[in-house]
Structures are given as C-alpha cells and as structure tokens.
Amino acid sequence: MQMWNRLDIKGKILVPLCSGIVLVIVVLLAVGFSMMKSEKNSAGKLRNDFIVTLCDIASRDRLVKMEKAANILINTDEVVAYLEDQKARESVKMVLDGVLLSIGENMDIRRFALYDQEYALVSEHAEPGVPRLPQTLESAHREPFEKCAQEYDFRSFLRTVENSGQVELEICMVTVVTDMDDEVIGFVEVATKPAAFAENIRERTGSQNAFLGLGSTSFAWASDAGLFAEIAAVLKDEVEDHGPARGKAGELHFLADKVPARAADGSLLGDIWVVNDDTAN
C-alpha cells in the first residue's frame, strides 16, 4: 500500500493541537471522571484539586501518548492487511507483535486490539499477564467506537478487566482503520499501562493512589502496594460508600478521597482512591 494513502487518512483524523486539549477534556467528561462542586472542607478541596490534576495528567501524558500509538497502528500497512485479508493474518502477526514492543516501551501501551466493523475482536496483542478481552466488544463501550466511525477521530474510554483476583481499570483509546477508499473496515484500540498512570498521579499530586473496582476488596495498580494492602485489610467488606473516608492503616491515619470512574455508557466501574496522611487532623 502506498504511503501517501496512509498519510492522507492520517491527515483527515488528526486533531490540531490547539483544539486537542479541549477535545480531551470533553472526552474525559464523556467517559466518566465525575466532576463535583467545590466543598469547604479539606476532603472537598482535595477532590477538586485532584480531579483537575487528573485531567491534566490524562490529557498531557496518557492520552497524548495513546493517540500517538494509535496513529502509528493505523499507518501500519499490516494492520489494514489483517482486517482486509484473512489469508494474510498469519504472515503479518509477527510484525504486529513487533509493533507492540515498540509502542509498549516508548508510549506505555500494554495492549492493542483490532476489531472488525461488527465489533468482533479479530486480533489482540498484549504483554504477558495482561487479561484477554471478550470476543465481542461489550455494549458499555460501544459509543466511542460508533462516534469514531462517524467522525474519523480518536475517542478515549474506561473499562475494567479482572486480573489475578483484582479488578483493574484500563484507560483506552480507539480510532478507525480505513481502506484505500477511506471506508471504515475496522477499529484499533490501545490500552495504557495502569502502573504508569498511577505513577503520573503520584508525581503530580504527591499522593498515593490506587483503583478499587466495584465488588472488589483488593486494590489494583497501587502506587504503594504495601499501604493499600493495609487499607484493604481494614475495609473487610465491599465498599458501598463512594464519598471521602477517614481511617487507620498500620500507623497511618489517612484521608481517602474517591474519584468515581465510569464506562462510556455512564455505568460506575469503581473509584480511584487518592490517600493523604491525616494524622494531624
């Protein structure tokens, strides 16, 4: 396939940088970090400060890298070949595995997946130990795919996957794959490494953080595994209260603010916990 055809398609779906930040914020609102009004107490301030920082982190660090990774994939001829010609799939699979190594190391991507026009999973390339996706895209995540097919752009969304007894939150991005006639033939989805996202939050806020999925008592992608293991031990049962919480884990008196994470359809996936030392209070 001639390179100029791929670059022409790229030009149609790349968003100018000046409008990209606005788009990212809109997308984040759509996929589910709930924005809450400012409160006078310390927990309310923490929530607002954290959400603002989280949006900044996601837009500047995670989503920008994810868009670059997705763009590399849609400009890789083997991706198009895989979706267009079933006979070519075995011969190009090794190339796609190599692409994963590159974007995984340079852009913190742990998985990419290819879907056909009917949202069936046709190929998945992931790091060892990363949970596999269902064979058909879940209905909760279809809206960003549908929007991409209409707008020829990039869309981000959140999903949860079960991994070794933990419910992990994945930050994902999807865009369309097109043929020589600019017709949509499928989709490519990338998922960032959760630990990289947790580290970004810790670096920006100075706070430890982790994700607690619905129905789970075990934290995932914790920035401090020991701390959140102690917090999990005092929780005992599934947490139904999604508001700020104070507690004691070991010698630490902590204030935990919870940022709800939602799927594209608005359903609650769980809470991102950000924890600060509350001993002085």
Side-chain angles (χ1 to χ4, degrees), residues 72-269:
I72 287 173
L73 288 164
I74 63 174
N75 284 287
T76 299
D77 290 342
E78 286 79 6
V79 169
V80 179
Y82 200 100
L83 289 168
E84 283 189 318
D85 184 3
Q86 292 189 13
K87 295 180 181 179
R89 291 181 177 179
E90 281 300 318
S91 62
V92 302
K93 184 178 183 301
M94 187 175 296
V95 175
L96 298 182
D97 287 338
V99 175
L100 174 65
L101 291 176
S102 176
I103 62 177
E105 180 177 352
N106 298 319
M107 299 167 194
D108 298 324
I109 301 300
R110 73 172 189 170
R111 177 208 294 118
F112 75 84
L114 303 180
Y115 294 84
D116 66 17
Q117 293 170 283
E118 304 300 322
Y119 310 117
L121 181 69
V122 297
S123 183
E124 183 177 7
H125 304 262
E127 294 181 338
V130 174
R132 296 299 179 181
L133 296 172
Q135 290 302 301
T136 302
L137 181 70
E138 304 101 310
S139 60
H141 310 309
R142 289 197 178 183
E143 182 180 356
F145 284 71
E146 294 168 351
K147 294 291 187 182
C148 280
Q150 297 170 5
E151 304 294 336
Y152 283 56
D153 60 3
F154 299 88
R155 301 275 169 162
S156 61
F157 64 99
L158 306 176
R159 74 146 55 89
T160 51
V161 292
E162 193 167 332
N163 188 9
S164 302
Q166 294 182 336
V167 179
E168 293 183 343
L169 181 70
E170 286 192 332
I171 301 91
C172 305
M173 178 170 284
V174 61
T175 192
V176 293
V177 181
T178 58
D179 62 14
M180 293 283 287
D181 299 318
D182 290 359
E183 296 294 328
V184 176
I185 59 174
F187 304 87
V188 62
E189 174 204 309
V190 296
T192 195
K193 296 178 181 179
F197 190 60
E199 181 60 18
N200 286 150
I201 298 173
R202 190 199 64 77
E203 289 176 351
R204 296 293 187 93
T205 64
S207 301
Q208 303 296 346
N209 60 93
F211 176 72
L212 185 64
L214 286 182
S216 177
T217 57
S218 178
F219 288 94
W221 55 263
S223 58
D224 184 330
L227 169 64
F228 281 96
E230 290 185 336
I231 294 176
V234 300
L235 293 180
K236 297 181 181 178
D237 300 317
E238 178 185 348
V239 177
E240 297 182 359
D241 178 12
H242 300 285
R246 284 183 167 87
K248 186 175 184 293
E251 299 301 316
L252 175 69
H253 292 266
F254 67 85
L255 168 63
D257 194 57
K258 305 168 193 174
V259 181
R262 299 185 182 275
D265 67 350
S267 58
L268 184 64
L269 301 172

Side-chain angles (χ1 to χ4, degrees), residues 12-43:
K12 289 185 177 183
I13 60 178
L14 278 177
V15 180
L17 180 60
C18 61
S19 62
I21 300 301
V22 175
L23 175 62
V24 165
I25 299 303
V26 172
V27 169
L28 284 172
L29 287 170
V31 299
F33 290 113
S34 299
M35 300 298 180
M36 299 189 70
K37 293 181 179 179
S38 178
E39 301 172 6
K40 294 182 179 179
N41 57 46
S42 60

